[in-house]
Amino acid sequence: MDTSALSRRCTVVVGCQWGDEGKGKVVDVLAADVDVIARYQGGANAGHTVHAGDQHFVLHQVPSGILHPDKRCLLGNGVVVDLAQFFGELDQLVERGLDPRGRIGLSTRAHVVFPYHQALDLAAEAAAKRKIGTTGRGIGPAYEAKTGRRGVRVADLLDRRRGAERVGRGIAWARGRLVDLGADPGLAGTVDEAMAVAARVPEVATDVGAEIARALAAGKRVLLEGAQGTALDVDHGTYPYVTSSNTTAGAAAVGAGIGPTAIDSVVGIVKAYTTRVGNGPLPTEFDAGMDEKVRELGGEFGATTGRPRRCGWFDAVVVAYAARVNGLTGIAVTKLDVLDTLPEVRIATGYRLPGGGDTPFPPTSWELERVEPVYETLPGWQTPTTGVRTLSGLPRNARVYLERIEKLVDTPIAMVSVGTRRSQVIRTA
Ligand code: IMP
């Protein structure tokens, strides 16, 4: 256990599996020690669940750090922002007594997700033979528009006339594409509908990169909050069953608008077992009985779509791969307590090919579908861990399990989470 990864000036928090690793909880805990929290990619496909006091929050668009009353929260240029969702979440926070006004900023360079992107996402999924199982939040079409140089950015909406023009072109493009997909072009909506949210943009628009640079120069601490996980990264994940952004730590600099040399630690969030929501390979997936059991124990239902998550054993091949592509300096293991009642626990330490021989994490989904995990079985601890606050207080077999993960992933464990509450963390040796 090495907690030094948690106390640097500019830290990236990144998911190391297929998302839903519990980043929201870890960010909420780490946010207490930083001044600025910024998201750098993804959009309202994310669902961060945070328990603060006796309140329970699910945030999709606003960074989880907002629950700390004195922190500045930013959405960087790499984010695609659904403005209706974003302002809706801000309004809900105000209603629940947490006033985020003046503490939240949105990059002028961020791209906007409009209802026509969502219509395109849903129509593409409905028409596809091989469905990705997207969250239906318009993420893929918004990033396609960005790289296709058809996107609309926050800055465009500050000039209503130009903004409306660009939105009009986006809608015309979407109508044609909807027809190609066999869907009703009317689903693209109207310019007036799309522009309705633009009026509030001046309240929040800012230059996020410049703000972060100023904060760092003033000796403040910054946390860059990733969404989704490494295996969903558009380059490094299980393509094409991925999201449409780079979720990995390298994207944090680009998506927050700072240089990579500003970042001095990368904390990987790792669930004590594996989950995945949506389609695509999952080598360590449980059989039906165990899947249901762990899903119930861990409350594994998607925070954004409510879909049941597929569950499996801890896959050290994926996490070691994530350690390499993210350059992790530490890991935080979450939901250890979910395994408390199991008589034994397994870790996949390698992949075997159908014809024999081992393979590292392969570049294609069809290869990953075919691998057979090589398991190591360890005794369970069958003792509650939810009340434990020190590493030495954990049952011996739980420590052995964590030490094995640390060894296989070759990265020190910086934190262990043993429940949903802020207080249920182990940070020191
Ligand atoms: P999209 O990001 O909505 O395009 O969905 C692409 C894939 O990423 C699907 O398999 C989704 O289930 C998955 N995905 C997107 N966001 C999240 C997330 O926050 N947690 C877990 N899976 C996600």
Side-chain angles (χ1 to χ4, degrees), residues 18-21 23 39 42-48 60 121 125 131-141 143 227-229 231-233 238 240-245 247 275-280 302-305 307 309-310:
W18 278 274
D20 307 320
E21 296 92 350
K23 293 178 293 296
R39 272 191 62 179
N45 48 349
H48 294 163
H60 298 283
D121 192 0
E125 279 284 89
K131 297 187 197 307
I132 303 297
T134 72
T135 59
R137 297 297 185 106
I139 305 302
Y143 277 116
Q228 292 86 46
L232 289 172
D233 181 285
T238 52
Y241 299 99
V242 291
T243 190
S244 297
S245 65
T247 59
T275 61
R276 171 165 208 169
V277 58
N279 301 330
T304 301
T305 58
R307 291 180 290 180
R309 295 179 186 143
R310 300 154 64 194

Side-chain angles (χ1 to χ4, degrees), residues 318-396:
V318 173
V319 180
Y321 172 75
R324 175 169 65 76
V325 297
N326 289 296
L328 299 185
T329 53
I331 56 177
V333 179
T334 62
K335 299 186 103 165
L336 182 72
D337 55 297
V338 172
L339 305 180
D340 282 354
T341 56
L342 303 186
E344 59 177 39
V345 283
R346 287 182 176 191
I347 299 178
T349 58
Y351 292 156
R352 193 137 298 154
L353 293 165
D358 295 338
T359 175
F361 191 69
T364 66
S365 281
W366 61 264
E367 287 169 293
L368 193 59
E369 291 282 7
R370 292 165 59 215
V371 302
E372 197 57 52
V374 179
Y375 286 113
E376 219 171 81
T377 304
L378 287 85
W381 42 96
Q382 300 194 286
T383 312
T385 58
T386 47
V388 179
R389 298 292 174 268
T390 60
L391 197 60
S392 58
L394 281 174
R396 189 175 170 279

